Amino acid sequence: MSKELIRLSQCTMAFDGEVVLNSIDLVINDKEFLTLLGPSGCGKTTTLRIIGGFATPTSGDVFFDGVRINDLPPYKRTVNTVFQKYALFPHLNVFENVAFGLRINRHGGKKLSKAEITQRVMEMLEIVSLKGFENRDVTSLSGGQQQRVAIARALVNRPKVLLLDEPLGALDMRLRKDMQNELKRIHEAMGITFIYVTHDQEEALAMSDTVVVMDGGVIQQIGTPEAIYNEPVNAFVADFIGESNIVDGIMIADGVVEIFGRRFKCLDGGFAPNEPVDVVIRPEDVDIVDVKDGMLTGTVTNITFKGVHYDVIVDFKGFKWLIQTTDFCPVNSYIGIKIDPDGIHIMKKSAYSGMFGDYSSYSAEYDEIGDADYEPEEPDIEEAPYEA
Amino acid sequence: MRKKRRFSSRLFMGLIFVFLYAPIALLIIFSFNSSKSRTVWSGFTLEWYRQLFHDSTIMSSLTTTLSVSVLAAVIATVAGTFAAIGFYNMRRRWQNPLLAVSNIPVINADIVTGVSLCLLFVSLGSLLKFDLGFGTLLIAHVTFNIPYVILSVMPKLRQLDRNLVDAAQDLGCTWMQAFYKVIIPEILPGIINGMMIAFTMSIDDFVISYFTAGSKVQTLSMTIYAMTRKRISPKINAVSTLLFVFVLTMLLIINIREARQEKQLRLKNRTIK
C-alpha cells in the first residue's frame, strides 16, 4: 500500500504566462485511490494531464516508479485515462472501442492474437456489467453505459494507473451514486492505482483513500477523507469540504479559545499565546439548548426542513451560523447553543481567512450549492491544440 | 380573396420553374428529335446519342475531362483535407482570416481565376520551358477545387471531440496512428462529400479550363463550345443532356448524403442528452 509509484516534484505549469499549477509536490502510492479535489480552474485537470502525458510541466519533474517521465509521450506510459464525457470512438461499436488499445501494436510489445483480444474484451465487459452489449453502437447507449465502456476501454490495457477526469460529471444524481460504488468495487477488483479528478466533495470523501484539495494551482491539503473533514488546514478547505461556520478567535492557551469574547474548551494546541486564529465549527456539532444553558445566545432567522434534519440559521451578534439539528426552532425564537470541545477545530490564519464560513447571505449560498453539478470547462486546456 | 392570393403565388412559383427549367427541358427533348431542326419535332430517335459515342473529338475530350476531374478531385481532396486540419489546429485569431482568404476562389469570378492562372502559366512557361496543356489544366482544377474540400471537411472537424485524439494516444497510438484510426474515420463523410463536390466542379468547368488548357487539350465543355461555333449538330443537345443528367445526379447524391449526416448528428446529440 505504501510503495511510492508517482512523484510530482516542484511541478509548475503556465499557459501563455498564466500560472495554472504553482510548484506542486505530490506523491502517489501504489494501489491507492487518490482524488484531486477543487473548484474549476484549480489545476486538478492539469495535474492529471501531466501524469497522463498530455501536458509537459513548464518546470519541475514527474517520476514514475523512480524514472523521470517528463517527456515520455502518452502512448508509452502504462497509464490509461477515462475522459470527461467519455470520448468514445463513435465510428466503432462497443467491442471495438474496448479492443482499440489491444489492437494497437504497442511500442516493443508483441501483437495479441484475435482469440486473446476477444477473451480480454469479454472479460472486461463482464467486469463493468456490459455483457451482451458488445455489438451495440456506442451512440445508442445511455450515459451510464457509455461511462462503463470508457472504463473498460481503459482498464483492458491493464494499466498500472487509471486516471479518471470527472467521470461522473455528466450523470444524474442517482446513477452517480451507483457508479461511485461500482468504481470502488472495480478499484478493489483490479488492485491498481486510481487517480480521480472531481469538484464534488461528497464523491471525494466517499471513494478515496487520499484526498488532495487544490485551489489556485496550489495544493491546500493532502490527507485521508476523515483528516480533511475533521482537521482542515485553512478556511478554504473547511468551506469546500462540507458546511462550516468559520469565525475569528483568539488562542488564549493550549485547549482554550476565545470566540465572541467567551472562552471555549477545545482539543487543539501548539499556537502562540493570544494568537489570532480561524475557528471552524461544523453545523452538526452544535447543540441547541435553553437560553440559560447556552454558551452563546442568538436569534433564529431562517429554518429549512431537509429531511433528516433542519438547517437553522442563527444570528449571533450579526454573524450568522448554520446549525443542523433535528429540533424545530421557530423563526425569531431566542436560543442558546452548546459546543463540545471536540466540535471546535482551530486553524492558523491564512490568505483565505474571512472569505468563507459566514451564512449571512444564506439563500444565495444555498443556490450555489444546488448548482454544484454545473462546472464550466477549464478553457485554456481545452483550447490547447494537439501536440504530436 | 385568400384563394386568389394562393392562386397567384402558385402561378408565380410555376413561372419561376418554367424560367429555370424550360431551356433544359427543351434541350433534353430536342436531343431525341429525329430531324436536325431546333424548332420542329419530327420523331423520336437515339441517333444523336449513337453518333456521339462514335465522334472521336467528343470521346477524346470526354477522356480528358474524366481524367482531369478524377485526378484533380483526388489531389484536391488530399491537399484540402490536410489544409483543413492545419486550419483546425491554428489559433482562432489566425484561423478565420486565413479561411476567408482561402475561400476567395469560390466567390471569385471564374474568368478572373482563369485569366490570372493563364497569365501565371504563360509567364512561368516561358521561363521554365513548358506549354499550356494537360498539366496546367490539372493544376488549375486542383487550385479551384481545394476550397470546396476545405469547406466540406471543416465542419466535420469542428464536430470532432478533441478528446478523441487524446483518447487514442492514451490507448497507445502515436499521433499518426491516431490520425489514421480516429480523425480520418470521423471526418470521412466530409472528405467524401468534398471529393464529390470537387469532381462535379471539375466536370462542369468551362471558363477556367478554356484559359489554362492550351490549344492541344480540350475538355468536354470546351468541345461543346467549339461545336456551337462551327456547325449546328443535335449532338450538342445530346452531350449537354448527358452532362446535365450526370451533374444533377452527383448533386443529388451529395445533398442526400449531407441531409442524412445531419439527421444522424441530431439523433446522436439527442441520445447524449
Side-chain angles (χ1 to χ4, degrees), chain B residues 72 96 134 203 205 219 257 272:
Chain B
N96 288 329
F134 189 83
I203 291 267
D205 175 72
T219 65
R257 279 174 54 89
I272 283 173

Side-chain angles (χ1 to χ4, degrees), chain A residues 16 49 54 74-75 79-81 83-84 87-91 100-101 104 106 139 153-154 157 382 384-388, chain B residues 88-89 91-92 160-175 177 181-183 185-186 268 271-272:
Chain A
D16 297 328
R49 289 177 66 85
F54 302 109
Y75 59 89
V79 166
N80 284 110
T81 310
F83 289 88
Q84 217 169 14
L88 299 178
F89 304 123
H91 63 286
F100 190 91
I104 303 297
R106 271 192 187 255
T139 49
R153 183 180 69 174
N157 305 294
E382 293 289 320
Y386 308 136
E387 278 165 49
Chain B
Y88 176 63
N89 284 329
R91 279 165 190 270
R92 275 281 147 77
L160 183 78
D161 179 0
R162 279 187 189 263
N163 273 335
L164 289 183
V165 181
D166 279 352
Q169 287 184 283
D170 184 74
L171 293 166
C173 287
T174 60
W175 196 89
Q177 281 173 313
K181 283 176 187 282
V182 177
I183 300 183
E186 283 300 313
K268 196 174 116 188
T271 50
I272 283 173

Side-chain angles (χ1 to χ4, degrees), chain A residues 37 211-215 218-241 244 246-247 268-269 271 275-282 344-354 356:
Chain A
L37 173 68
V211 179
V212 179
V213 186
M214 298 180 73
D215 185 53
V218 176
I219 292 179
Q220 302 293 334
Q221 188 170 6
I222 304 176
T224 62
E226 289 86 352
I228 298 266
Y229 187 85
N230 293 329
E231 272 134 49
V233 293
N234 60 32
F236 174 80
V237 178
D239 182 73
F240 198 77
I241 315 286
S244 318
I246 304 171
V247 292
D268 299 277
F271 295 86
E275 184 178 336
V277 289
D278 284 336
V279 181
V280 181
I281 295 149
R282 296 286 185 189
I344 296 176
H345 172 65
I346 314 291
M347 305 181 302
K348 281 210 183 274
K349 283 278 177 192
S350 69
Y352 293 107
S353 296
F356 302 108

